Amino acid sequence: MPGVAPTSPPGPVYQAFLSYSHRDRRWADWLHGALEAYRVPRQLVGRETAAGPAPARLTPIFRDREELAASSDLGETIRAALAASANLVVLCSPAAAASRWTNEEIATFKRLHPEGRIFAAIVAGEPYASDLPGRAAEECFPEALRYRLGRDGRPTGERAEPVAADFREGGDGKRLGLIKLVAGMLGVGVDELARRDAHRRQRRLAILTGLSLAGMAVTSGLAVVAVQARGEAERQRAEAEGLIEYMLTDLRAKLEPVGRLEALDGVGAQVIGYYDRQQLAGLDAASLSKRARALHLLGEVREQRGDTAGALVAFREAAASTGELLARAPEDAQRLYDHGQSVFWVGYIARQRGILEEAERGFTEYRRLSRRLVALAPENRAWQAELGYAASALGVFALDNDRPEAALRHFTEAEGIWARLQGGQVANRAESYDLAQAHGWKADALGALLRHAEALALRRREAGLYEALLAGDPADSEARLGLAVAMMRIARLQLVAGEARAARRAAARSTGLMAALLRFDPANTLWREIAVKAANGQAEALVQAGEWTRAQAVNRSALDLAGALVAADPTVREWRADGLVPARAMEIALAARTGPRTGPRTGPRTGQGAALERLIARFEADFTWDPASQSDEERLAWITVQALSARLAEARGDAARARAAAARARGLLGAPASIRDARLVAALRTLEPATPAPASRYNFAALIHPGGDSR
């Protein structure tokens, strides 16, 4: 209780308490899994060390997944876990140094364990940078870690020297960092543990190399399992799962920086084959957890490489594991959370692949699980955040499927959640970012409902939040990406309002931000997708501003980026519908408007009409209009191409083809007005020849006005 002097805690329940900032969640995911998966060398098990008898496994590790509510107390669950932990492992980064709750957990652990064993795992920033002029923002050690505590429980001026493992690229790296951390927790020398670990890894690598060459990495292990006695089967399964964990963590970490993740393709197939043959009901909780974690990692690898079909298989299997775990303990908050993550990813990948029923089912189940989490602990900020993410996911799905009223309700709910959690403080980085995202999605829903002025105002508020985040941390790539998207959407809304020059400036900023991100990570498929959309938007703004030559250069960039994305995975409909199709339509529009010389033209030059016809024919051969498509970008692209086709056919004297193309363009417009129509009017009017032929039945104005002559 507060104010009572700490007593000696009972024997430890947890090998360690893992303390970290919400922003370092990915590192926490990896380290938590790596520590629990680590098998202490047999020769060390049971040896009496400075930390007591060495265990066979470093389990369990308590992981605090929440950013705590704005209260003055950590909460009984966290305090009890700290008291019951033999060690404290702190993920150290500038985010952790700024986190009130990470600092409070360290201070509480020190008060409960005056001689406690605290280990720092450095993942970003610099230790004691706050002692150097102008470098305070780089500090990675929370204050309670940097200084000893006095009898009053407050930091003194006496500097502490925590035991640290440096996981950064230029430091120990992941493997050696893990060895140092484990050695400290076990109370053995780093050299001894490193030698034994290296020997074990050499054996594993030899096995991996031989089995990879034979294409039997995991199936061979299964054959052994099938013929061994129960005890031997357990050992072999642990070895196989350890090998899988190595391949999906350490090996992935080595391959990812050099762009060789395709080397894991065969491994992924073997992993799926291995787990396919397991009976979930026969696995204990530890094995199910490993299974879920491995399959989730595999899903991430495949999604990162653009293999959405393979990613969906992996995430479905992961969801089967987390679902089984939850069925065994329906009120376990951790299992509710884990299963929620699995079904979200199933929904997310299904949405990417256009499997709408499965996507909606996944997002709806994610919301149901999030509501159960909040009901279990209403003050838990992390669970409230999950409910915000679920509302956003359902809003995006509704918007994708032309249900803007439903989308607006979902996004308004998410916006309210994030506003409460953020509390008007930009320093609450994660909540500020999520609030900005909610503003952006809500603006899209408002735009679809023709409430353009409200949408533009909300997009500007969103951009302001990203600007504030970048002012605090210029390296924040998430905020940079968010700002790029916000500026792209602002440009689109300005085009609707007829503000072409303002739109050109906003669009140029968007493409500039995306170019900077892609220089940092050119293989990132999400960034490439946004870069395509930004380039398409900039080309549209330049066309409306009359800058044809610049528009052609930007369009070429969009074509290259979009073509590479679609070639990598043609099944991702959004890459084609919102990226490549609009880029190809803009190519046709620019070819119709410009010739060998810069500036507007009144009609095709000799030979230009034939080239334009070839472009249109290639477009219609490569793409098929889906009447169910709700993509504004794809619809605008098709209407533009059909309108141009009608004009070209009329110029060539092909009246029947001109009538057919005009009819297709009118049919694509649809009955209700929307944001697409306002942009379409502006775009098609811009593409009119400078002096349209008076006798033309198929000028663009006739195609977009109901009373026009478009027979």
Side-chain angles (χ1 to χ4, degrees):
M1 295 176 61
V4 177
T7 58
S8 298
V13 173
Y14 302 105
Q15 289 290 339
F17 183 110
L18 179 57
S19 179
Y20 63 99
S21 162
H22 176 76
R23 289 181 62 184
D24 297 324
R25 185 186 299 184
R26 285 188 177 275
W27 270 104
D29 287 342
W30 173 80
L31 186 57
H32 182 262
L35 286 172
E36 289 209 330
Y38 188 87
R39 292 173 57 252
V40 177
R42 282 195 301 258
Q43 298 88 335
L44 296 179
V45 175
R47 179 196 293 183
E48 194 66 37
T49 72
R57 303 293 292 270
L58 293 172
T59 57
I61 304 288
F62 184 92
R63 177 176 173 183
D64 168 22
R65 286 181 179 267
E66 59 184 301
E67 288 288 345
L68 298 172
S71 68
S72 60
D73 192 83
L74 281 176
E76 288 306 314
T77 300
I78 302 302
R79 188 179 295 276
L82 286 164
S85 298
N87 302 283
L88 177 68
V89 175
V90 184
L91 270 180
C92 295
S93 70
S99 169
R100 169 188 174 188
W101 297 111
T102 302
N103 194 71
E104 186 61 23
E105 286 167 353
I106 298 166
T108 300
F109 187 85
K110 285 186 172 183
R111 287 193 290 268
L112 292 169
H113 305 267
E115 302 300 323
R117 299 164 55 76
I118 302 177
F119 302 93
I122 303 170
V123 297
E126 289 291 336
Y128 300 108
S130 54
D131 294 345
L132 305 174
R135 297 187 61 185
E138 299 175 49
E139 179 62 68
C140 69
F141 283 173
E143 184 183 29
L145 193 63
R146 297 198 303 270
Y147 300 105
R148 299 185 184 278
L149 296 187
R151 291 187 177 181
D152 59 357
R154 297 180 180 277
T156 67
E158 186 181 357
R159 188 151 140 173
E161 296 291 344
V163 177
D166 190 348
F167 287 81
R168 296 172 298 176
E169 291 269 336
D172 300 322
K174 275 189 171 180
R175 191 68 200 177
L176 182 55
L178 180 65
I179 294 298
K180 284 188 173 181
L181 188 58
V182 170
M185 291 171 65
L186 293 175
V188 300
V190 174
D191 289 346
E192 180 182 10
L193 190 61
R195 282 196 306 272
R196 296 187 186 279
D197 185 78
H199 179 65
R200 183 170 62 192
R201 287 184 70 212
Q202 286 168 1
R203 291 203 321 269
R204 285 187 177 180
L205 284 170
I207 294 169
L208 175 62
T209 303
L211 295 180
S212 296
L213 290 171
M216 300 290 289
V218 179
T219 51
S220 294
L222 280 178
V224 176
V225 171
V227 298
Q228 297 295 321
R230 182 177 178 83
E232 180 63 12
E234 292 287 345
R235 189 186 70 78
Q236 291 289 344
R237 186 173 69 191
E239 286 288 340
E241 289 173 352
L243 186 59
I244 289 169
E245 183 115 19
Y246 163 74
M247 289 185 288
L248 294 176
T249 53
D250 289 36
L251 187 57
R252 173 188 176 185
K254 289 179 173 63
L255 295 172
E256 195 168 359
V258 294
R260 294 301 309 277
L261 283 179
E262 78 279 358
L264 289 177
D265 286 350
V267 169
Q270 296 292 342
V271 168
I272 291 292
Y274 170 65
Y275 284 129
D276 266 350
R277 284 181 280 273
Q278 289 184 338
Q279 297 296 317
L280 297 187
L283 297 177
D284 59 23
S287 293
L288 276 170
S289 294
K290 285 182 184 176
R291 183 183 195 273
R293 187 163 60 243
L295 288 163
H296 202 285
L297 286 167
L298 179 60
E300 287 182 7
V301 170
R302 288 178 166 180
E303 194 265 342
Q304 187 178 345
R305 293 200 59 238
D307 177 13
T308 56
L312 188 55
V313 170
F315 284 126
R316 282 170 178 163
E317 287 294 319
S321 299
T322 54
E324 174 67 21
L325 281 166
L326 181 59
R328 297 180 188 182
E331 299 304 313
D332 186 297
Q334 187 65 53
R335 294 187 183 186
L336 280 166
Y337 173 85
D338 289 341
H339 191 48
Q341 301 309 296
S342 294
V343 297
F344 165 79
W345 277 102
V346 170
Y348 177 80
I349 301 297
R351 170 180 165 263
Q352 278 193 311
R353 294 184 58 76
I355 309 172
L356 300 184
E357 287 186 8
E358 185 172 20
E360 187 167 27
R361 194 164 56 245
F363 294 148
T364 302
E365 176 66 1
Y366 176 39
R367 179 178 61 180
R368 187 186 73 82
L369 294 166
S370 299
R371 285 176 171 169
R372 285 182 61 191
L373 279 170
V374 171
L376 284 175
E379 300 305 315
N380 186 313
R381 289 167 64 87
W383 300 163
Q384 292 177 49
E386 290 303 308
L387 194 54
Y389 294 135
S392 294
L394 283 166
V396 172
F397 183 84
L399 198 59
D400 278 352
N401 290 279
D402 207 26
R403 290 165 15 211
E405 295 88 352
L408 184 59
R409 288 194 299 273
H410 289 306
F411 292 138
T412 300
E413 178 189 355
E415 186 182 49
I417 290 170
W418 295 121
R420 287 194 301 274
L421 292 173
Q422 193 245 12
Q425 301 296 317
V426 177
N428 292 333
R429 189 270 171 202
E431 292 82 358
S432 293
Y433 173 82
D434 288 322
L435 177 58
Q437 291 278 291
H439 286 336
W441 284 116
K442 186 177 177 180
D444 282 352
L446 288 167
L449 293 167
L450 302 183
R451 294 160 62 176
H452 300 147
E454 293 174 74
L456 184 57
L458 205 52
R459 278 291 181 185
R460 284 174 172 150
R461 284 172 61 190
E462 176 196 14
L465 279 170
Y466 295 133
E467 297 273 20
L469 289 174
L470 286 168
D473 180 7
D476 189 336
S477 60
E478 264 192 329
R480 192 174 299 275
L481 177 65
L483 182 58
V485 173
M487 298 310 296
M488 177 175 67
R489 300 295 192 183
I490 286 170
R492 181 176 297 177
L493 289 163
Q494 288 169 331
L495 287 176
V496 170
E499 301 170 6
R501 295 199 175 277
R504 181 196 61 182
R505 289 192 296 272
R509 183 151 191 225
S510 178
T511 53
L513 288 162
M514 291 313 305
L517 283 171
L518 285 177
R519 283 194 294 271
F520 177 73
D521 183 4
N524 188 306
T525 54
L526 173 62
W527 293 359
R528 290 161 66 195
E529 176 188 342
I530 301 301
V532 170
K533 293 178 181 179
N536 282 337
Q538 187 183 13
E540 183 181 349
L542 287 165
V543 163
Q544 291 199 33
E547 298 184 29
W548 307 98
T549 303
R550 177 65 180 143
Q552 284 180 309
V554 173
N555 176 242
R556 282 193 294 272
S557 172
L559 286 167
D560 290 344
L561 283 166
L565 267 180
V566 173
D569 187 352
T571 66
V572 182
R573 192 181 184 286
E574 191 171 359
W575 294 350
R576 185 178 68 257
D578 286 354
L580 185 58
V581 170
R584 291 274 292 276
M586 179 58 72
E587 178 187 30
I588 294 168
L590 288 165
R593 180 72 189 202
T594 60
R597 67 169 180 262
T598 303
R601 301 178 57 246
T602 58
R605 293 177 182 271
T606 303
Q608 187 73 10
L612 185 58
E613 194 165 84
R614 284 195 297 273
L615 284 174
I616 292 173
R618 185 164 70 100
F619 181 95
E620 293 177 336
D622 289 348
F623 308 121
T624 302
W625 169 252
D626 178 4
S629 174
Q630 298 299 331
S631 165
D632 287 350
E633 306 311 306
E634 187 178 25
R635 187 183 297 268
L636 190 153
W638 273 94
I639 294 171
T640 301
V641 171
Q642 293 306 314
L644 287 163
S645 182
R647 285 296 301 268
L648 182 62
E650 183 190 40
R652 296 174 68 86
D654 189 342
R657 182 171 178 182
R659 283 194 300 272
R664 284 194 295 271
R666 288 196 312 275
L668 288 168
L669 275 170
S674 72
I675 190 171
R676 72 171 74 97
D677 301 318
R679 288 175 62 214
L680 181 66
V681 170
L684 294 187
R685 281 180 173 161
T686 303
L687 292 169
E688 285 281 10
T691 55
S696 173
R697 288 180 162 186
Y698 302 108
N699 57 53
F700 294 137
L703 289 169
I704 58 181
H705 292 300
D709 183 3
S710 52
R711 293 173 293 171

